[in-house]
Amino acid sequence: CILLFVIVLVLSIILSSIAGPITGYDPMAAQDEMQEIANDGRFMEAYQHMLGVPGYKENILLSSLLSLLVYPLYAGFLMILHRGNVSESVSFSDLFVGIRKNALQYIIYAIISTIATAIGLMLCVLPVFLVIPFFFLGVPFILFQNASAMEAISKSFNIAKNNYGTFLGVTIISILIAIVGVIFCGIGILITVPFYFAAMYSAYCAYVGIPAR
C-alpha cells in the first residue's frame, strides 16, 4: 500500500510541476502574498486575491485534469487490501489493476465526484463533508463488481443514504486522519492516507460483502 502511495504521490508532484510552467502560475510567490494578507487577519481578501493571481484558476483546472490520469491507481490500494484480507499473495501488477481494467470508468467517476465536491466547496466547507459519504464506495464497486461509473455512484449513494450517519462519521474521521499526516511534515501521510482506503474497503465488506475470489 505504501509503495503504491509513493508512486501516486511522485506522479502527482510531477504532474503538478508540469501544470505550473504551462499556466504561468508561481505557487511560491502566490503563497508569500497570501501569507502577508492573512497575517493581517484579512482572510476573505486573501481568498479573493488568490483567485486573481495570474494562472491560478488555469493551474487548478489543468492540475485537476492531469490528476485524473492518476486516479485509476487508487484501485490498487483496494486490491492489495483485499488480497491481504483473503490471504492471497500480492503481486506488483496488483498496483496497476485500475489501469489494466476499467481505467475510463475510474476517470469518469473521478470527474463526477470532483464536480460534486467542487460544488460543495463553492457553497462552503461543511457541504463537502456532507457530499463525500455518497461517493465513498464508488471505487470498490468499479473494482470488485465491474460496475460503470454511474452504476457505482448509484450503488454507493443508495447504501450511504440508508446508513448516512455511519458513512458520514467514517469519511470525516478518515479525512481528518489523512490531514493529520500532511500536518506532520507530510511524512505521516504515507501511513494515514492508506488508512482512508482501508476504511473504504472495510465499509464495502461490511455493507456489500467480501468480494469473491
Side-chain angles (χ1 to χ4, degrees):
C1 258
I2 293 180
L3 174 60
L4 177 57
F5 179 71
V6 170
I7 294 174
V8 173
L9 183 61
V10 170
L11 287 175
S12 298
I13 293 174
I14 293 174
L15 293 176
S16 296
S17 65
I18 293 174
I22 293 177
T23 59
Y25 173 65
D26 186 348
M28 299 304 297
Q31 183 177 354
D32 291 339
E33 294 180 19
M34 282 278 292
Q35 190 64 46
E36 291 180 7
I37 298 174
N39 287 340
D40 295 334
R42 297 174 291 164
F43 298 104
M44 195 61 187
E45 183 178 335
Y47 174 71
Q48 294 173 345
H49 175 76
M50 177 60 77
L51 293 178
V53 172
Y56 175 74
K57 294 179 181 178
E58 293 81 359
N59 183 74
I60 292 295
L61 177 60
L62 183 56
S63 296
S64 298
L65 291 175
L66 291 175
S67 67
L68 294 177
L69 302 177
V70 179
Y71 203 87
L73 289 174
Y74 294 145
F77 281 111
L78 299 177
M79 179 56 72
I80 291 174
L81 289 169
H82 174 61
R83 296 285 194 201
N85 187 42
V86 297
S87 301
E88 292 182 349
S89 59
V90 176
S91 65
F92 186 74
S93 63
D94 290 332
L95 300 176
F96 307 101
V97 63
I99 294 178
R100 296 197 312 271
K101 185 177 181 181
N102 291 326
L104 180 59
Q105 297 305 318
Y106 291 111
I107 292 175
I108 295 174
Y109 172 81
I111 292 174
I112 297 174
S113 59
T114 298
I115 291 174
T117 302
I119 293 174
L121 280 173
M122 291 178 186
L123 297 175
C124 192
V125 175
L126 182 59
V128 173
F129 287 98
L130 301 179
V131 169
I132 291 177
F134 293 113
F135 294 90
F136 196 56
L137 297 182
V139 175
F141 273 117
I142 297 175
L143 174 63
F144 298 122
Q145 295 192 15
N146 201 31
S148 67
M150 294 306 300
E151 290 173 340
I153 291 173
S154 177
K155 292 180 178 182
S156 179
F157 179 87
N158 289 331
I159 293 177
K161 177 185 64 176
N162 295 327
N163 305 276
Y164 188 72
T166 300
F167 276 78
L168 179 62
V170 170
T171 52
I172 289 179
I173 292 174
S174 300
I175 291 173
L176 291 178
I177 290 177
I179 292 175
V180 169
V182 177
I183 293 175
F184 285 102
C185 301
I187 299 176
I189 197 171
L190 295 176
I191 299 175
T192 57
V193 167
F195 174 84
Y196 178 83
F197 289 94
M200 183 186 297
Y201 176 74
S202 297
Y204 181 87
C205 291
Y207 289 94
V208 181
I210 299 177
R213 298 191 183 190

